[in-house]
Amino acid sequence: MTELEKFNECFKNYTELRLQENKNEIIVLINGDCVTNYEKRESGVSARVFKNGLWGFASCPEQDEENIRKILKKAEENAAFISSRVKSSDKIFTDPKHEDFEINLSTKKQKLTRKQKMEFVKEIDTYVAEKYPDLKSRQITYYHLKMNKELLTSEGAHVSQIIPRSLLRITLSSGTDSHPINLSDSFGGLGDIEDIYGSPDDVFSGIDMLYDKLIKKCNGLVPDAGVKEVILGADLAGILAHEAMGHTTEADFVFGGSVAADLLDQKVASEIVNLTDFANTAFGKTCPSPVYYDDEGIKAKDAVVIENGILKSYMHNRRSAEYFQIEPTGNARAYKFDDEPLIRMRNTCILPGNEKLENLIASIEDGYFLENPGNGQADSTSEFMFSVTYGYEIKGGKLRNAIKDTTISGVAIELLKTVTMISDELRWESSGMCGKKQPMPVGMGGPAIKCRVNIGGN
């Protein structure tokens, strides 16, 4: 950590001083041709000051001492200007018990050069091209994000966190020129590429499974439309937990009138449903997007959103926690140095149950097992629509034909009340990026759940 404490003399009101660098790398090969290959670094300093119930914010791309002092002064001036014109009685939750904290999850191994990373991606592309020449097209994408943040607050928090994420996304296409059939999957997650993969061979079995699913999808059926008994696979359960339920329980959305505003301590799901936004560790393992301290200097803790079907709490920053007279959960996060922290999810999932997946399948006489989510949307009422890019029909308690692209829609709170079985395995989706005003890496996941939902089709 740097010697940020020397700027304490500049703190007149509650103040947050944040230094940050985001490093992005992207390599994209389409049918063997490199169409994208760049590395970008964005760094700078920001300061946020709380005065008379209002915030003043300022930022600058230069991190030298002179500019840091200027930014602190400017944030103080902005807070004074705004508070002189807008009256507010809001308080800020104080948390004076702080310790210095530092964590660096970067690899300790010899780092690959840009050339070696390109060769890594090319070797994967060559494997796909040689083993599956019948494909119409293929796309291999390598994406790396490393967020390096250092934060000092006037309450004494001094936090340094370096969190990398490395992903490979494989998209395969078959079918005909007029009716292409696509299927994608992502591999990787928390960490640098050197720690996740020993060699390109580590991805090959996953590619083989993806190809096998693609061929089944090409020969698949269009599902029958209507309200059906289904199993939502872990990835779909995860996006439901994040998009349709998680956002409605972020406290700023609650203030804005989300459906969750009137449902605290009320039933919003089946009694077997539990949903938590985990800070950094779940079931003894590090989460895909760990947050140890948030960007307000608050030590992050898990937010239990739904417990035994009852809506128990929201996700908070300092100010919303003060309003509800509880401790903040450490959900305030900013993507870039010049972004102000917003209430954001970290790692949101429905907790596993006690059933085996095969028991869920066996319990359905006529329905569907829906696995891969595509794009989707949800609103503050928890109403949602998600595309589904892969799944199977279930007949007589057994998986049958694969199905083609479809959609599911409904109201999440009503769907969760229909959940009757939950599998005992948790799967994280580690490639999620949430787009709430500013992008943010998140983890989402869950077990498979049996429920009823409206599905598109014939």
Side-chain angles (χ1 to χ4, degrees), residues 6 38 189 217 242 267 307 421:
K6 62 185 175 183
Y38 77 82
K217 180 179 176 180
H242 176 97
K267 183 177 180 179
E307 186 175 50
M421 298 177 75

Side-chain angles (χ1 to χ4, degrees), residues 111-211:
K111 294 185 178 180
L112 298 180
T113 64
R114 291 286 295 170
K115 181 180 179 181
Q116 289 172 323
K117 291 175 183 176
M118 175 62 77
E119 292 171 348
F120 188 99
V121 176
K122 284 184 175 179
E123 189 171 337
I124 294 173
D125 179 77
T126 299
Y127 173 83
V128 177
E130 292 181 350
K131 188 165 185 180
Y132 304 113
D134 57 316
L135 288 170
K136 293 294 182 182
S137 66
R138 63 190 186 276
Q139 178 172 319
I140 318 296
T141 300
Y142 164 72
Y143 173 72
H144 175 76
L145 169 65
K146 180 172 289 186
M147 302 181 76
N148 183 345
K149 298 182 178 182
E150 185 173 359
L151 177 73
L152 179 70
T153 75
S154 53
E155 290 181 341
H158 191 180
V159 178
S160 175
Q161 299 176 99
I162 303 177
I163 310 294
R165 183 167 76 161
S166 302
L167 300 167
L168 286 165
R169 185 161 183 83
I170 315 296
T171 300
L172 306 181
S173 179
S174 188
T176 65
D177 291 338
S178 59
H179 293 91
I181 305 293
N182 304 314
L183 198 59
S184 301
D185 202 1
S186 294
F187 306 89
L190 177 65
D192 287 309
I193 188 173
E194 295 84 358
D195 291 327
I196 297 175
Y197 304 109
S199 72
D201 296 11
D202 295 341
V203 190
F204 292 169
S205 62
I207 293 173
D208 294 340
M209 292 176 61
L210 181 64
Y211 175 82

